[in-house]
Amino acid sequence: MPRPLRSETKAPVARASKKDNQMSDPSPENSKDLFRGKRVGVTLADPAAKGKSGIEILRAMISGELPGPPIARALNFWIAEVGPGTAAFEGEPGDESLNPMGGVHGGWALTIIDSATGCAGMSTLEAGVGWATVETKANMVRAIKPNSGRYRCEAKVLAAGRTIITTDSQVIGPDGKLYAHGTSTLIVLRS
């Protein structure tokens, strides 16, 4: 099933603040609806998303005006930066992402790649226009160890057509080395 509609135009880069890099209060009353001190929910279901372009929605997620997606909390990653045709996610994979052999499951890297490439594409869309992933491919270069620090996935749009957007990304570890890279093809959904 395709993702919900997303949108945008081009503008300066938005970045998460230093406060965003601190974990939120883990107390039971806060942990259900917050992740890293920000609301969690279905972003496009929020009335504040109406009429916003893709990049405006992404910037509102970074600022906390709009909620971030629940998968971010589940896999401990978040959108850290967005600009026209670019997006960066950061994450700290832990025990929640282990595979049976004790390493971080390759699905963690694939999901952060899919998220970053999707948001890079979304940043190019005007209000009322959505997208869905057609294909995401990733190559794992080295194993990601749990609780080993912050990983960053940077994605950029390679080509943005009326119906297809292609993107590229890299996952860089806390040691500055490449851990995974991937590409994604997105379909643009116009009403």
Side-chain angles (χ1 to χ4, degrees):
M1 184 167 193
R3 291 186 188 167
L5 293 179
R6 314 262 169 126
S7 17
E8 169 31 281
T9 66
K10 300 181 179 185
V13 171
R15 289 188 174 83
S17 68
K18 290 192 188 256
K19 141 181 122 77
D20 297 328
N21 293 328
Q22 300 168 7
M23 292 301 287
S24 63
D25 176 5
S27 61
E29 64 272 16
N30 290 333
S31 63
K32 183 176 180 191
D33 297 324
L34 293 178
F35 174 62
R36 304 181 65 76
K38 295 180 181 169
R39 292 184 302 142
V40 174
V42 179
T43 308
L44 294 181
D46 192 298
K50 188 170 177 64
K52 289 188 185 319
S53 65
I55 202 164
E56 290 169 333
I57 289 170
L58 295 168
R59 288 183 175 141
M61 287 170 55
I62 290 171
S63 74
E65 175 191 347
L66 286 172
I71 193 167
R73 179 174 51 204
L75 293 178
N76 198 23
F77 66 65
W78 53 93
I79 186 166
E81 189 177 317
V82 66
T86 65
F89 275 64
E90 293 181 352
E92 298 172 345
D95 295 342
E96 74 283 345
S97 302
L98 292 180
N99 63 27
M101 297 177 292
V104 172
H105 194 284
W108 187 88
L110 182 62
T111 304
I112 200 170
I113 286 170
D114 183 56
S115 298
T117 56
C119 288
M122 179 178 171
S123 75
T124 68
L125 299 175
E126 64 271 8
V129 176
W131 61 275
T133 300
V134 174
E135 175 188 52
T136 297
K137 181 198 178 305
N139 292 305
M140 312 313 174
V141 176
R142 55 181 44 89
I144 296 174
K145 294 182 172 67
N147 306 307
S148 57
R150 184 167 296 173
Y151 291 77
R152 182 175 172 91
C153 181
E154 296 182 351
K156 65 181 178 185
V157 170
L158 298 175
R162 180 160 168 74
T163 56
I164 296 291
I165 299 172
T166 56
T167 56
D168 184 53
S169 64
Q170 294 185 337
V171 177
I172 306 296
D175 55 4
K177 293 180 180 178
L178 179 67
Y179 279 75
H181 57 93
T183 59
S184 192
T185 303
L186 313 171
I187 188 165
V188 177
L189 305 172
R190 300 182 188 279
S191 332

